[in-house]
Every structure is written in C-alpha cells, then in structure tokens.
C-alpha cells in the first residue's frame, strides 16, 4: 500500500529534481507544468515553503509580483542573506541567479531577515 507520506516525499524529490535541471529560476506554475504527475499549485507552494525554511531553496519576486524559485548552493546558517543578483529579462521573461554579489550595508542595526536583489533588462540571448 502506498502511504500518503511516501507520495509526498516523491513529490518533494520531483520538485527538487526539476529545479536542479534548470539554469534559470522557476515559478510555482512552471514547476507544476514540468511535474510528470498531477500536483496542484497549493501543494507545490507548500513544498517550496518547506524547502525555503530548510535553506534549500530561495526565491526572488519578479516584476509581475510572482515568486521565482531556485536551489540554494551554500545556505547553511545564512539562508536569509542572498546577496547575489537576480536578472529578469524583459523579453524572454527568464529570471536567473547571477554569480555576482552586492555587499549589504549595516542599515543602522536594523535586523535583516531576507534580501532580494532584482535587476531588470535584456539578456544576452535576446539582444541578438
Ligand atoms: Zn538560501
Ligand atoms: Zn532574454
Ligand atoms: Zn538566486
């Protein structure tokens, strides 16, 4: 008998696999459409939230207000500080993690819980 728990684990693994295969970030909808089995969007969000809590996935909010998710590389202990830049292309709409970081100023002791850096423009692929 297939238990609910193993089915959930299967879905979680699929979400992680889909994210690991893509070079750009994905919205919950993109992930839902790439799933080989039918999973509703609420479940996808729940899985992504859990991964984000564990520091395995981070997200950036795009120009359209949608969240775009990507796997984290070295997030142990400092998941909230994602100081790498994200780039959103106005033409192909891809949102990518960029290997460039911005240093965070101190902000007079304010507590930083999350950072999102989004740069909007036209990517190299679309320039041609
Ligand atoms: Zn992270
Ligand atoms: Zn583009
Ligand atoms: Zn990123």
């Amino acid at each position: 008998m297939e238990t609910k728990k193993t089915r959930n684990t299967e879905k979680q693994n699929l979400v992680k696999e889909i994210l690991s295969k893509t070079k750009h970030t994905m919205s919950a909808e993109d992930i839902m459409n790439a799933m080989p089995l039918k999973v509703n969007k609420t479940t996808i969000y729940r899985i992504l939230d859990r991964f984000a809590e564990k520091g395995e996935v981070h997200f950036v909010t795009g120009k359209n207000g949608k969240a775009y998710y990507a796997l984290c590389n070295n997030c142990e202990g400092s998941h909230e500080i994602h100081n790498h830049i994200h780039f959103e292309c106005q033409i192909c709409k891809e949102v990518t993690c960029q290997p460039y970081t911005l240093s965070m100023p101190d902000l007079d002791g304010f507590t930083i819980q999350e950072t999102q850096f989004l740069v909007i423009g036209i990517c190299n692929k679309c320039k041609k």
Side-chain angles (χ1 to χ4, degrees), residues 1-13:
M1 199 186 91
E2 203 179 41
T3 64
K4 208 173 170 218
K5 208 172 176 182
T6 58
R7 297 230 354 247
N8 281 339
T9 312
E10 188 192 355
K11 287 175 197 165
Q12 286 173 22
N13 291 341

Side-chain angles (χ1 to χ4, degrees), residues 86-101:
H86 293 91
F87 190 93
E88 175 169 346
C89 176
Q90 297 261 50
I91 295 173
C92 67
K93 309 290 178 202
E94 267 179 22
V95 179
T96 45
C97 291
Q98 297 291 322
Y100 304 100
T101 55

Side-chain angles (χ1 to χ4, degrees), residues 89-94 121-128:
C89 176
Q90 297 261 50
I91 295 173
C92 67
K93 309 290 178 202
E94 267 179 22
I122 295 163
C123 77
N124 280 339
K125 260 192 309 184
C126 293
K127 252 188 211 163
K128 283 163 198 160

Side-chain angles (χ1 to χ4, degrees), residues 58-75:
H58 67 279
F59 66 90
V60 65
T61 309
K63 201 180 170 189
N64 58 8
K66 264 194 215 170
Y68 290 88
Y69 297 84
L71 290 181
C72 288
N73 292 322
N74 326 300
C75 261

